[in-house]
Amino acid sequence: MLDALAGALRLDEAEREHLRVLGAPRRGGRARVRARLGRVRPNLVRMLFLDPHHRALYCDWDGKAQVAVAALQRAAARRVVDVELDRLVGELVVASPEFARMWARRPVRSCSHHVRELDHPVVGRVRLVNETVVLPDDDQWMGLFHAAPGSADADALASLAQGVGRGGTGRWTSSRR
């Protein structure tokens, strides 16, 4: 039935998948381990829209923001009863007119592979491949970033990793590239 509806509406593959999710039995939100332990991890979507330093990292901020909103739309369709997600969306709608505008459009698209240019405050412009992996049993998404081996971008990531390896002192001797 859903496939016939998707065909009649001429939906693309991402829209068809979203329709299947909407038509599937609903699951409630789950208690997260971090909530039980009292730890709050930073939320990347919140930082993307509300933290000017995080926003400045993305050379194509608008493209990254649209992908992030589409991912939240997909999460909201999968977890209809999720107080934490509802709070996040409510906070962002109020605090960010850009988020509110994008959220109202209800974007649906796959967001599994992108090339991102970041403007890092220490190593400068870095071009990275961003892969998004859906963890099957936990309904969470994990973003992986990597650079082409042997590239200047890989060297920039290696220098950042060395800084973290020194206890996070943040002391680098090289200037921005």
Side-chain angles (χ1 to χ4, degrees), residues 22-99:
L22 291 173
R26 308 291 173 132
R27 293 190 318 203
R30 297 183 219 173
R32 303 277 188 232
V33 172
R34 69 177 177 271
R36 289 194 302 260
L37 297 175
R39 284 188 243 152
V40 177
R41 293 180 8 192
N43 180 281
L44 295 177
V45 179
R46 179 183 290 116
M47 292 179 354
L48 185 65
F49 281 93
L50 303 182
D51 179 353
H53 299 290
H54 190 81
R55 180 183 182 132
L57 285 174
Y58 293 93
C59 298
D60 178 20
W61 179 87
D62 191 65
K64 173 63 177 171
Q66 289 179 35
V67 166
V69 172
L72 277 184
Q73 287 283 354
R74 290 174 67 111
R78 282 183 162 73
R79 298 186 311 233
V80 176
V81 180
D82 188 327
V83 175
E84 191 176 325
L85 180 60
D86 291 345
R87 282 187 192 135
L88 174 64
V89 170
E91 174 190 355
L92 291 172
V93 164
V94 169
S96 171
E98 291 163 311
F99 178 86

Side-chain angles (χ1 to χ4, degrees), residues 128-139:
L128 303 174
V129 174
N130 176 204
E131 304 282 344
T132 303
V133 179
V134 180
L135 304 177
D137 295 334
D138 202 12
D139 216 14

